[in-house]
Amino acid sequence: MEVIVPFSTDRPKSRLSGVLSPDERGEFARAMLDDVLDAVAAAGGEPRVLATDAVNVDPPVTVDDRPLTDAVNAALDARIGVDPEDDAGEGDAGTDGSQEPVAVVMADLALATPAALDRLFAAGRDADVAMAPGRGGGTNAFVASHPEFRVDYHGASYLDHREIAAEIGAEFVAVDSRRLGTDVDEPADLAEVLIHGEGRAATWLREAGFALDASEGRVAAVRK
Amino acid sequence: MEVIVPFSTDRPKSRLSGVLSPDERGEFARAMLDDVLDAVAAAGGEPRVLATDAVNVDPPVTVDDRPLTDAVNAALDARIGVDPEDDAGEGDAGTDGSQEPVAVVMADLALATPAALDRLFAAGRDADVAMAPGRGGGTNAFVASHPEFRVDYHGASYLDHREIAAEIGAEFVAVDSRRLGTDVDEPADLAEVLIHGEGRAATWLREAGFALDASEGRVAAVRK
């Protein structure tokens, strides 16, 4: 399954500006991207980075500097969209007329494991749209095969995407994963990486001096 | 499987005091408890409430006013603990000498579904300890059958519990569930209930005037 991993090279992780410098945010974002790409490959996916500008990674890269929603929808169009001049969907369509599913997995899912992605991919082979929501109703990862499914990442996008699926008659399933549901945006999220992360992002944080601190009740990542 | 659901009748959900009155917090905590009890029963579990004081619910109730850690450990002692005068573990021990597992599921997991609990219970039948972590390294739900496993709910208890399991040679598995990983403690958690909740707690919030608001970027639950 092709797995598109959107990645912003422009001011990445700005909500971490209180605890990381711009250079550090770039390094940390890159460590998370590498972790996600590794997990995708280990789960049998074929990763492709969808970046706002050139980025030097092993997997193939598509550069698209449009906003996230537009760039992802263009990618969906090219893969599962039905060519209006070709109703049979030649090329991508399977023998039963269904499309080969495509996945979109955000680059800041630092807790993603092959097992968690495997559940997402399996759900996306069974349903027209399978989606792992994030905190606050975000859409952290999904697999879609329905030719009319498109995204809109504004606001509580998970609810919007569920509604879009209903409108086009696509079967929708939610994937219940804390690992895929944890996108790393804010300082409070760094504790999750230290607690559960097993890859480069967790190592990067530790080497940058972050450690867990439970002295204030709730566990936080603090910098020495 | 017996499923112990700890519930505090004393100043429940104090971290919601900025948005709910004491009476409202009591009502909301009770709605979440009822949702959890329903989900446990629908998943085939036999719920038992472990409350700090009398509470009027259908399932059996054990009253224990000690701190959470002590009360849960007493319950574990009584169920999976090996009587020191009876090494064979007569009574609770299966034919292979293993204990019948027991689950402990927090009463504020308002997003818990039978499917999510079913995954936890299944994992707990295979491993000595199966655990669903919460945000900040909390321990939201677990199943244990190892006679020496005990809890300590302070700090990043998930990490402590993993270490306790390692020390006693118990096989430990993490259960990757966003639904079980979401305990409702703070105002920001209320949005999760409105987005994903399907039971009494979500209904209670809506009837109390809460609705989702995405106008500030991140989706929040605001009161009309």
Side-chain angles (χ1 to χ4, degrees), chain A residues 148-161:
Chain A
E148 293 171 66
F149 183 72
R150 295 297 178 273
V151 295
D152 179 354
Y153 279 107
H154 293 100
S157 64
Y158 172 72
L159 294 177
D160 294 337
H161 291 151

Side-chain angles (χ1 to χ4, degrees), chain A residues 124-148:
Chain A
R125 283 187 204 100
D126 288 341
D128 295 327
V129 179
M131 192 166 286
R135 192 167 163 86
T139 299
N140 284 11
F142 71 90
V143 178
S145 55
H146 193 291
E148 293 171 66

Side-chain angles (χ1 to χ4, degrees), chain A residues 35 110-111 113-114 179 193 195-203 206, chain B residues 162:
Chain A
D35 283 346
L111 308 191
T113 53
R179 287 188 170 275
V193 180
I195 293 168
H196 302 284
E198 294 159 11
R200 294 178 183 82
T203 301
R206 289 194 186 97
Chain B
R162 207 169 61 180

